[in-house]
Amino acid sequence: MKLEGMKIGLAFTGSFCTFDKIETEVKSLVEKGGDIYPIFSTNTQFTNSRFGDTGEYMKRISDITGHEPILSLEEAEPIGPKGYLDILLIAPCTGNTLAKLANGITDSPVLMAAKAHLRNSKPLVISLSTNDALGINFKNVGELFNVKNIYFVPFGQDDPVKKPNSMIAHTHLIADTLELALEGKQIQPVIL
Ligand SMILES: Cc1cc2nc3c(=O)[nH]c(=O)nc-3n(C[C@H](O)[C@H](O)[C@H](O)COP(=O)(O)O)c2cc1C
């Protein structure tokens, strides 16, 4: 299913080193006609790192998408009752957010959006980026693989020698993953 005219929630969590890559994909999704609604986790909003000023990043994303970001639980909650998103993408998805999602915890705007969206039985796509994906979070990856309406952007090890437990999504496949998820299908191969 093409992305033209689709309302896509794009939820950012605190893998700050991945922000530039995701910004590239946001531009690409907008060029494909996607209507992007940005959502930022609380931790992203209040963390500035060597990878840049998050306030400036949020402003750029807001300008590219034409929507003010969703920054609180109250702003994210209507995604459930109003059901206005066709699909929700968490990109990048931290180990922290992945673990909470797998365990039913809803304490950030991103997790609130995910819970609200899933209640409508619509697709949620995860673009993983975490150093513990093959470590303490491996069980949570497996858990979410088996949850209805959850899909993964294909991912793999980014540095097996120096970071043997790290896995990161191939972000250039985000659009393809979304298109198939909208048809209820997981893009394959998912491990790349
Ligand atoms: C500079 C910096 C880079 C980080 N990179 C990552 C990362 O790539 N993946 C990850 O899972 N966590 C990363 N973290 C840790 C998360 O930001 C932290 O777990 C935070 O609680 C995530 O909250 P959130 O999932 O609600 O956004 C990083 C933290 C900092 C300060």
Side-chain angles (χ1 to χ4, degrees):
M1 196 181 290
K2 294 293 168 201
L3 299 179
E4 175 85 50
M6 288 292 156
K7 294 192 184 304
I8 304 168
L10 205 170
F12 296 82
T13 67
S15 173
F16 301 97
C17 56
T18 320
F19 272 22
D20 282 351
K21 275 187 183 177
I22 301 301
E23 186 172 351
T24 303
E25 297 311 314
V26 175
K27 289 177 186 157
S28 163
L29 294 174
V30 169
E31 277 166 18
K32 290 178 194 298
D35 187 13
I36 313 290
Y37 291 77
I39 304 157
F40 284 86
S41 75
T42 312
N43 287 328
T44 55
Q45 294 171 43
F46 297 105
T47 307
N48 290 317
S49 71
R50 65 182 187 281
F51 299 105
D53 180 299
T54 307
E56 286 172 14
Y57 185 77
M58 290 196 290
K59 170 83 175 65
R60 283 206 305 282
I61 296 295
S62 178
D63 289 346
I64 296 165
T65 60
H67 289 292
E68 285 297 316
I70 291 169
L71 302 176
S72 65
L73 297 185
E74 304 93 283
E75 289 170 346
E77 185 273 341
I79 289 171
K82 291 191 179 164
Y84 62 88
L85 295 179
D86 293 300
I87 191 162
L88 176 62
L89 166 69
I90 305 180
C93 183
T94 59
N96 179 61
T97 289
L98 183 94
K100 288 182 175 180
L101 185 61
N103 288 282
I105 298 169
T106 313
D107 64 355
S108 82
V110 168
L111 291 159
M112 183 72 234
K115 176 176 174 154
H117 181 70
L118 282 172
R119 96 170 201 192
N120 295 326
S121 302
K122 291 185 183 173
L124 168 65
V125 172
I126 293 174
S127 181
L128 198 61
S129 178
T130 184
N131 285 337
D132 60 5
L134 285 173
I136 202 159
N137 248 315
F138 203 16
K139 62 180 181 299
N140 294 317
V141 175
E143 189 80 29
L144 292 175
F145 251 77
N146 286 307
V147 175
K148 199 173 168 189
N149 296 317
I150 292 187
Y151 304 89
F152 280 81
V153 178
F155 58 89
Q157 287 180 281
D158 50 315
D159 189 349
V161 175
K162 288 194 191 139
K163 299 191 291 176
N165 286 341
S166 183
M167 303 258 261
I168 187 157
H170 300 289
T171 52
H172 67 281
L173 293 172
I174 281 177
D176 292 346
T177 307
L178 291 173
E179 287 184 0
L180 279 172
L182 281 162
E183 294 172 9
K185 295 179 193 148
Q186 169 63 57
I187 192 171
Q188 296 291 349
V190 64
I191 307 295
L192 273 178

